[in-house]
């Protein structure tokens, strides 16, 4: 599989529209990368690491790590780690760790750890 790692908006914008591989976005502190010209959307700020596939929407801030697939929506802040798949929606803050699958909805704050599957709805503080 073809893979490209980008660290700036200019590097991302230089990727051909017909590129069929994996794009790994690793933004250094203070660098914002916005992806709007491909399927799905990604915003990555401040040392975040993002993998977004299959029409997912991701906003990652402050050293967060996110993997989103299959139409999932994720907002991650403050060192949170999120894996979202199959139409799940996640908001994670304050060092939370979340795994959400199969249409689950999760909001996790302040060092919460959550695994949600099969249409679950979770609010963890």
């Amino acid at each position: 599989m073809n893979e490209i790692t980008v660290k700036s908006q200019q590097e991302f914008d230089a990727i051909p529209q017909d590129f069929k591989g994996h794009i790994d976005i690793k933004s250094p502190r203070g660098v914002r990368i916005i992806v709007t010209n491909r399927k799905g959307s990604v915003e990555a700020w401040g040392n975040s690491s993002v993998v977004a596939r299959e029409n997912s929407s991701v906003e990652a801030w402050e050293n967060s790590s996110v993997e989103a697939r299959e139409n999932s929506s994720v907002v991650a802040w403050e060192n949170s780690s999120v894996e979202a798949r199959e139409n799940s929606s996640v908001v994670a803050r304050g060092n939370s760790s979340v795994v959400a699958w199969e249409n689950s909805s999760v909001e996790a704050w302040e060092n919460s750890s959550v695994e949600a599957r099969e249409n679950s709805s979770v609010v963890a503080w």
Side-chain angles (χ1 to χ4, degrees), residues 41-45 48-50 56-68 72-84 88-98 100 106-109:
S41 66
V42 175
E43 275 193 53
W45 289 73
S48 297
S49 175
V50 176
S56 296
S57 175
V58 175
E59 184 174 335
W61 295 67
E62 301 157 0
N63 300 305
S64 296
S65 174
V66 176
E67 180 174 345
S72 295
S73 174
V74 176
V75 177
W77 292 56
E78 300 152 356
N79 300 303
S80 295
S81 174
V82 176
E83 179 182 341
S88 295
S89 175
V90 176
V91 175
R93 296 182 184 210
N95 301 304
S96 296
S97 175
V98 176
V106 176
E107 183 173 340
W109 290 55

Side-chain angles (χ1 to χ4, degrees), residues 4-91:
I4 294 175
T5 299
V6 297
K7 297 178 182 175
S8 71
Q9 188 71 51
Q10 292 155 325
E11 288 178 3
F12 180 82
D13 291 343
I15 299 170
Q17 285 293 324
D18 61 351
F19 177 73
K20 300 279 190 214
H22 171 80
I23 301 170
D24 189 10
I25 298 174
K26 294 193 180 273
S27 63
R29 180 167 296 286
V31 174
R32 177 182 183 193
I33 299 174
I34 300 174
V35 179
T36 57
N37 58 348
R38 290 179 167 72
K39 291 183 178 180
S41 66
V42 175
E43 275 193 53
W45 289 73
N47 251 2
S48 297
S49 175
V50 176
V51 175
R53 297 183 181 165
E54 295 141 3
N55 298 311
S56 296
S57 175
V58 175
E59 184 174 335
W61 295 67
E62 301 157 0
N63 300 305
S64 296
S65 174
V66 176
E67 180 174 345
R69 297 177 185 222
E70 297 148 356
N71 301 303
S72 295
S73 174
V74 176
V75 177
W77 292 56
E78 300 152 356
N79 300 303
S80 295
S81 174
V82 176
E83 179 182 341
R85 296 181 185 215
E86 299 159 359
N87 301 305
S88 295
S89 175
V90 176
V91 175

